[in-house]
Amino acid sequence: MRLINNFINGQFEVAEHDKRFEKRSPVNNEIIASIAEAGRSDVDRAVISARNALQGEWGRISPEQRVDLLYGVADEITRRFDEFVEAEMADTGQPHHVMTHAFIPRGAANFKVFADVVKNVASESFRTSTPDGRGALNYAMRVPKGVIGVISPWNAPFLLMTWKVGPALACGNTVVVKPSEETPLTAALLGEVMNSVGIPQGVYNVINGFGPNSAGEFLTQHPQVDAITFTGETRTGTAIMKAAAEGTRDVSFEMGGKNAGIVFADCDFDAAVDGIFRSAFLNSGQVCLGTERVYVERPLFERFVNALKTRAESVRFGHPLDKASNYGPLISSEHREKVLSYYRKAVEEGATVVTGGGIPEMSAELAAGNWIEPTIWTGLADDAAVVTEEIFGPCCHIRPFDTEEEVVALANNTDYGLSTTIWTQDLTRAHRMAERVDVGITWINSWFLRDLRTAFGGSKQSGIGREGGVHSLEFYTETRNVCIKL
Ligand SMILES: NC(=O)C1=CN([C@@H]2O[C@H](COP(=O)(O)OP(=O)(O)OC[C@H]3O[C@@H](n4cnc5c(N)ncnc54)[C@H](O)[C@@H]3O)[C@@H](O)[C@H]2O)C=CC1
Ligand SMILES: O=C(O)/C=C/C=C(\O)C(=O)O
């Protein structure tokens, strides 16, 4: 069993009163780690060490040196790639290929890309007229915001945590990270990386624990935290926003979604089936950008439902170390119970269960894990619970539509506004749709195709602000204007 401690001022430390909690494997629910649960005094030391680091060596080094250090972090993640893959698989139970092809490489990229962004972005300047005719020069200067509180979720832990730590450090801030209680391993490994490449003590800190009345709340309430960046549930975002209001701290939120996939009859059929399959079922449906509502133009409806059913029934459940498996469990037994409760509700509300709806049969050594079948429904009303509420599991409801007008209204019929995926060969129509569907991110003939320089975030209850490229700089720096009278 692993012992995971908090990482404060460059040292791994036990928590006050040596308080700990257990982490269970999603594949069989055996205990795999014991985690130090940070108390208020631990969080306080982490925040103070982050503040001191701003005044120390980190605050004094040049942007070029900072950029080189972050390249070093990316290279060291790549050098220790297998350890990160193994740790993330242990935490999440997700397949080896998802880690090696997507989630762990993105961790390294999150440091490299933002190092490049800060190296290459110019600041604005204006020549200003004055009555004496000599004029003035205004220019903007970016300074770090200070100590950033980073609160991250469990579904893509390393990717989503480094998506915030990378730009925060590139901009010269220091961070205190509170990883999800479900997935503490890679944040701790990153502490080792920070030390080995020479990131000064106190720049990167990790405190473990839960949300309310635990490390998450202690961090967001701490008056020396200058800004908070959060990915997680919309309800949690509301609680964090209340905490941030004290001291009027800035927030950046990426939250839940109830994303629509829209398939027109003129689409490339195989590509659309493949794209919707990935968007509904990748990571066992635990992706904020995932598709839980699918709208298919009527002439294609039956054929599409049958093809998606075939794909969903072809997944191979298994241990992530078994390379023949391509499908993992849900993160926890509590989360599986939540998703199963939606499976039951769908039936109560009159759904036709096209496939799935229950728990797959597993071998004896995996039977105690959080396995669940990919599930497809049809036939529900537009106000059914599984059509309106975020489930965050491997499931989707498919409904036919007849007109563009109708499908825009259906897609927008939600309090969320994170992403959508649209499948059509008519790019004029696709563009028209992108203007009308009320989301932060629209993918056309693709899904989860990321360029880290682009704006990422949600509308409505899916988020506040945008991160990515220069948008991250907007959040992680203060812009100062300097006016020189010439
Ligand atoms: N929009 C996006 O980019 C993404 C959104 N999500 C959303 O995240 C959710 C799944 O992740 P979870 O980890 O279950 O979310 P969650 O909101 O329960 O937890 C996220 C983090 O917040 C912490 N936390 C909980 N209550 C807190 C409080 N009162 N104060 C401070 N910290 C608190 C948790 O300990 C955890 O570290 C889904 O609803 C999903 O839609 C997940 C990934 C990406
Ligand atoms: O690519 C990003 O920056 C965010 C991706 C989000 C997920 O992977 C997720 O929520 O699972």
Side-chain angles (χ1 to χ4, degrees), residues 27 89 92-101 103 274 277-278 280-286 310-330 360 362 366 371-372 374 394:
V27 303
M89 283 193 309
T92 63
Q94 290 301 319
H96 187 262
H97 72 271
V98 176
M99 299 304 146
T100 54
H101 287 89
F103 289 0
D274 188 59
F277 171 76
R278 289 194 313 110
F281 300 120
L282 179 80
N283 214 31
S284 306
Q286 303 165 119
T310 303
R311 285 296 300 273
E313 289 174 353
S314 70
V315 304
R316 294 188 305 276
F317 298 97
H319 196 288
L321 292 174
D322 169 6
K323 301 257 170 73
S325 95
N326 62 13
Y327 216 70
L330 295 183
M362 301 299 295
L366 298 179
W371 307 94
I372 192 164

Side-chain angles (χ1 to χ4, degrees), residues 127-136 485-486:
R127 179 72 201 250
T128 307
S129 306
T130 56
D132 65 6
R134 285 162 57 195
K485 174 73 175 58
L486 300 172

Side-chain angles (χ1 to χ4, degrees), residues 181-482:
E181 54 275 30
E182 300 286 356
T183 51
L185 299 187
T186 44
L189 257 186
L190 188 60
E192 293 178 21
V193 167
M194 295 288 175
N195 278 350
S196 68
V197 304
I199 298 285
Q201 292 180 339
V203 170
Y204 172 80
N205 304 274
V206 183
I207 43 128
N208 289 291
F210 302 84
N213 202 25
S214 183
E217 201 173 272
F218 302 154
L219 180 61
T220 56
Q221 288 176 343
H222 199 293
Q224 296 272 357
V225 169
D226 298 299
I228 301 165
T229 176
F230 163 74
T231 299
E233 278 189 36
T234 299
R235 232 186 6 238
T236 310
T238 307
I240 292 177
M241 201 160 176
K242 286 182 184 156
E246 200 63 49
T248 57
R249 275 94 46 81
D250 203 358
V251 295
S252 171
F253 286 171
E254 295 170 18
M255 304 190 286
K258 188 72 186 176
N259 311 304
I262 300 171
V263 181
F264 285 95
D266 70 346
C267 69
D268 173 337
F269 183 77
D270 291 341
V273 171
D274 188 59
I276 297 288
F277 171 76
R278 289 194 313 110
S279 73
F281 300 120
L282 179 80
N283 214 31
S284 306
Q286 303 165 119
V287 180
C288 61
L289 309 159
T291 302
E292 291 187 355
R293 301 181 292 146
V294 184
Y295 300 106
V296 181
E297 203 169 1
R298 198 173 298 274
L300 208 61
F301 182 73
E302 294 296 330
R303 185 174 164 221
F304 187 90
V305 171
N306 288 332
L308 198 65
K309 172 180 189 293
T310 303
R311 285 296 300 273
E313 289 174 353
S314 70
V315 304
R316 294 188 305 276
F317 298 97
H319 196 288
L321 292 174
D322 169 6
K323 301 257 170 73
S325 95
N326 62 13
Y327 216 70
L330 295 183
I331 190 70
S332 65
S333 52
E334 292 78 15
H335 188 53
R336 183 173 73 164
E337 191 36 53
K338 175 186 157 190
V339 177
L340 283 172
S341 75
Y342 278 106
Y343 283 15
R344 291 190 291 272
K345 201 173 268 183
V347 173
E348 284 158 26
E349 290 185 315
T352 298
V353 182
V354 175
T355 188
I359 295 172
E361 268 199 31
M362 301 299 295
S363 60
E365 62 274 20
L366 298 179
N370 312 318
W371 307 94
I372 192 164
E373 288 175 333
T375 294
I376 300 172
W377 305 287
T378 56
L380 283 170
D382 295 325
D383 62 355
V386 304
V387 181
T388 54
E389 296 172 23
E390 183 189 45
I391 301 170
F392 220 56
C395 51
C396 63
H397 178 255
I398 317 184
R399 177 208 198 280
F401 71 89
D402 294 297
T403 66
E404 198 177 305
E405 202 61 35
E406 179 193 12
V407 78
V408 167
L410 288 166
N412 286 339
N413 184 23
T414 170
D415 292 334
Y416 294 110
L418 187 55
S419 72
T420 189
T421 166
I422 300 172
W423 296 83
T424 175
Q425 310 234 23
D426 179 346
L427 292 184
T428 304
R429 167 164 63 195
H431 177 71
R432 207 164 48 228
M433 295 284 293
E435 282 185 324
R436 298 182 68 199
V437 180
D438 194 1
V439 291
I441 306 144
T442 296
W443 276 291
I444 293 165
N445 298 328
S446 59
W447 176 74
F448 207 167
L449 178 59
R450 294 282 281 116
D451 180 326
L452 306 188
R453 296 168 300 183
T454 61
F456 183 90
S459 316
K460 301 198 271 187
Q461 290 189 18
S462 289
I464 297 181
R466 295 289 182 272
E467 296 195 34
V470 293
H471 309 280
S472 293
L473 303 198
E474 290 297 328
F475 178 69
Y476 293 106
T477 59
E478 289 288 349
T479 304
R480 277 187 197 154
N481 189 68
V482 181

